[in-house]
Amino acid sequence: MAELVSLLQNLSNGLLIGGVYAMIGVGLTLIFGVMRTINFAHGDFVVMGMYTAFVFNMILGWDPYFSLLVALPAGFLMGVLLERVVLAPIVDKPHETSLLATLGISLIIGNALLLIFGGESKSVHVDYASMALSLGEVKISVILLIAGGVTALVIGGLYLLLHYTEFGRSIRATAENRLGAELVGINTRRIQGAVFGLGMMLAMTAGVALIPLLFATPTATGPILTLKAFVVIVLGGLGRVGAAVAGGLVLGMVEVMGAAYIASAYRDAYGLLFFLIILLFKPEGLFGRSVKRV
Amino acid sequence: MIRHLIGLLVLLVAGLVYPWIFPSALTVGVTILLFAGWATAWDILGGWAGQVSLGHASFVGIGAYFVAIGATEYALAPWWSILMAIAVAALLSLAWGRLTFKLHGPYFTLSTIAIAEILRLIAINEDWLTGGATGVFIDWMPTPFGIDLFAREAQYYLALVFAVGVMATIIWISRSRFGYQLRAVREDENSAMAAGIDPTRTKLKAFMLSASLTAVGGGIYGMMLSFLEPHILFYLLLSVQIALTGIIGGRGTIWGPLVGAVLLVSAGEIFRTSFAEANLLIYGILILLVILFLPSGIIGEFNRRLTRRLYARRAQG
Amino acid sequence: MPDALKAEGITVRFGGVVAVDNVSLSLQPKGILGLIGPNGAGKTTLFNAVTGFVPMDSGKVRFFDRDVSSEPPYKRAQAGMGRTFQTERPFEELTVLENVLVSAFLKEPRRKDAEKLAMEMLKRVELDDRYDQPAGDLNLARRRRLELAKALAIQPRVLFLDEVMAGLNPPALREMIGLVRRLSQEGLAILMVEHIMEAIIELSDHVIVLASGQKIAEGTPQEVTSNTQVIEAYLGTE
């Protein structure tokens, strides 16, 4: 009985953490799908969301979620700007060039935060941080639940945007075939800028949702989250929004189960190992269709 | 060729004179020499063979840990530990490359990060192997010919030998058959195969050489630190620093990594007071500038122009 | 003396599409075999299957007295298959001489000898005056000749030419035809894929016509050009 309870507890934890990973991954996969750019700064965008919530909480006493009012437009604008200045000029270069460029952005963001806020970890305390819902003997953290809800909202909204608006159709057309999209009159350069903005906005949203839960450390947290986001999108299948959700849930489960039943010290390694295996033996992702590449 | 050998001689002389001119900046000197050696070694794989690795800290860690554990646990002299580290780095990179060389471009790069991260977690968690997260303190070193290997000066000359050795290796490679095989594989694997070159084998050789040389520098670094922590030695940011030093200086060039090392380490020193530990900011800014304005790196761009100018001059004259 | 090249029952599928369907061919030492057909006929796929760059689903390739069917492309190159690429891909950052040097190193491991060989090959294709130019700066006709020099520098026993005539202007085309003929007279066996009928008819002693992946005709240039099926295949698509 106790084993069943702990299994259920682990399952629900894995699911909820997976939901958070999905939210981080979804912006990355959107950017990859449209621009074929591997955005190494994605985790640092998340960290910027965390610091936004931290700053407004510290100065104005805002609830972290309230700071989304600032984080959403700021994220979008910064993303558009970064795309225009750094990524648009190198769009035709080999793919690793954009990886190196975003690595540069990552170093600049992380170290700028370090200069401004110092090296110690930051978090925001909220009253509901320690609250938990009880389902029988299984406890579910309220914050994780809220984060899961935000993920569902964000991904639902993204789905509606991609499938029911003209803008969304242009994004999907560009992702599928950039040249074809240009031929039917879509300004793909503008789409790429908007998508990078959207991706950064999603990352900062995830950061805001995570700050009551996680500590943010300027240069360390970003790369860790970037790595997790990569694992998520490679697990699911690169470039597809729905698959990022599945990938996030799988990673959450793999980590929680591995930590519970194998060895908790290697919690981060399970995801990476799984990531390598997928990359090497099933590069289209767990849920992707097999495509013969020449 | 002659030009490069003269350059190497100049480097050697400058390296020998440096301690007399800047006796108080020996640590900076060691750091420059180590990064020059590492970035040049990294460049064999990352630049000449075109496979960008962000996992080379693993080999630094292996070199450093072999020296440390060898000395503290087995009273082993560092030259023996470094020889063992070379062998282990070569074997590890052989297995690593066999596994991941079917991935291309950014996917290969991501796989190197993942493997290096896993190795870091192993180094942190396996106490019996590395002493675990608390680290290892080197408390004994042999004194060959009465030389104190704990002295910064001795370490400086070791680092100088290391850097000059790696540079000599790359000068030799640049002219050799192997060097042209590397470049062919980087530019186009199909064309390389049409010339009878086995791309995987070529990349494996590059990786093994690159990893072994990096481990040698790691051993010297271990002596310099004398206190080793796994989460720093095996860390992604060290890999990033090594790679960016090579890329900013100029991938696939002889002098680029050295120029990158001099530039980045001294810039780090100059801004140390204003940036404190945020000195990787400079790496971020410089890599963006290089990508946008000098895509082949500082020396790479110089070489490109030089080749064209030489041709133009000969064709007209 | 065995055939220089003998391919039997070559079949290549891409997904559900059969790109090359059970095609056989053979090439005599010193012969020139022409492979023609309309766009999408499977010429280049067949060419790539024979040289090892595209995996075969079935079939056998013999190169002189050696079965190379399961060997990777670089081993076939080492055995003496020298090929060019349709979309010529010089190593752009290397000079013209260095491009050829890469191939020359296959048989001449020492730099001095390899350089000498590479320079000879550049003379053969009349590109030696540009030996120190970055290859990326060459125009189309010169890139073609560089491709040829690279293929020659591995000192091949058979030369495989993939549409080396395509896109050349008339004078450059005449030069290229003359060059290929000279190479043949010097004793090389040649297999050439070509879209341009004129070149094939002038050069080949034996021609194979492909359409939709199948061999529809075979014979001397004269036999093939008078074959109604061939005329139909060409006129039907163009």
Side-chain angles (χ1 to χ4, degrees), chain A residues 32 38 40 86 95-97 100-101 104 107-108 111 114-115 227 230 238 265-266 269 272-273 275-276 279-280, chain B residues 99 102-103 105-107 110 113-115 117-118 121-122 125-126 244 251 277-278 280-281 284 287-288 291-292:
Chain A
F32 181 85
I38 292 196
F40 209 89
V86 178
H95 289 325
E96 63 206 32
T97 307
L100 292 172
L107 290 173
I108 291 173
N111 286 287
L114 182 63
L115 273 182
L227 221 48
F230 279 130
L238 284 162
Y266 282 105
L272 292 171
L273 210 57
F275 167 74
L276 274 176
L279 206 56
L280 291 170
Chain B
L99 197 63
K102 67 174 185 173
L103 300 170
Y107 302 101
L110 286 180
I113 298 175
I115 292 178
E117 243 343 79
I118 292 172
L121 288 167
I122 293 174
N125 288 305
E126 300 303 319
L244 292 191
R251 263 187 277 180
E277 73 261 62
L280 279 179
L281 191 61
I287 188 68
L288 282 189
I291 283 174
L292 290 173

Side-chain angles (χ1 to χ4, degrees), chain B residues 258-278:
Chain B
L258 174 72
V259 169
V262 172
L263 184 72
L264 286 161
V265 175
S266 39
E269 281 309 306
I270 292 165
F271 293 112
R272 182 161 299 259
T273 41
S274 41
F275 289 169
E277 73 261 62

Side-chain angles (χ1 to χ4, degrees), chain A residues 40-249:
Chain A
F40 209 89
H42 204 72
D44 298 276
F45 293 172
V46 177
V47 172
M48 281 177 75
M50 293 168 129
Y51 271 88
T52 310
F54 166 77
V55 167
F56 282 98
N57 177 271
M58 193 178 64
I59 300 175
L60 302 171
W62 287 4
D63 182 273
Y65 282 100
F66 201 61
S67 56
L68 279 177
L69 282 178
V70 181
L72 290 177
F76 184 78
L77 287 178
M78 280 187 289
V80 170
L81 194 71
L82 272 179
E83 198 278 341
R84 177 69 50 87
V85 176
V86 178
L87 296 172
I90 56 170
V91 79
D92 295 321
K93 295 275 169 63
H95 289 325
E96 63 206 32
T97 307
S98 59
L99 184 143
L100 292 172
T102 52
L103 175 63
I105 296 174
S106 160
L107 290 173
I108 291 173
I109 293 177
N111 286 287
L113 288 174
L114 182 63
L115 273 182
I116 300 168
F117 297 102
E120 68 274 29
S121 306
K122 298 281 190 289
S123 191
V124 173
H125 178 76
V126 290
D127 298 332
Y128 46 89
S130 52
M131 280 166 33
L133 286 180
S134 299
L135 291 173
E137 290 179 56
V138 177
K139 301 228 181 324
I140 297 174
S141 144
V142 167
I143 291 185
L144 274 177
L145 211 55
I146 296 176
V150 172
T151 308
L153 267 177
V154 164
I155 287 166
L158 197 60
Y159 182 84
L160 292 179
L161 175 80
L162 287 176
H163 289 265
Y164 294 99
T165 66
E166 194 54 44
F167 176 55
R169 274 190 281 273
S170 305
I171 291 180
R172 285 192 298 141
T174 310
E176 210 140 286
N177 182 341
R178 179 148 70 107
L179 199 65
E182 272 166 23
L183 287 177
V184 298
I186 294 170
N187 183 343
T188 57
R189 293 199 53 180
R190 191 184 292 163
I191 291 291
Q192 299 202 2
V195 161
F196 203 76
L198 209 55
M200 185 153 182
M201 192 169 101
L202 289 168
M204 286 185 60
T205 308
V208 170
L210 282 175
I211 188 71
L213 203 68
L214 277 186
F215 283 100
T217 314
T219 52
T221 313
I224 293 174
L225 293 178
T226 301
L227 221 48
K228 294 233 192 261
F230 279 130
V231 178
V232 166
I233 71 171
V234 170
L235 287 185
L238 284 162
R240 298 179 316 134
V241 169
V245 179
L249 295 180

Side-chain angles (χ1 to χ4, degrees), chain C residues 100-101 103-107 117-118 121 148-156:
Chain C
V100 185
L101 196 55
S103 302
F105 268 127
L106 181 64
K107 293 284 165 65
L117 174 65
M121 295 307 129
L148 210 54
K150 283 163 71 175
L152 288 171
I154 71 165
Q155 300 184 295

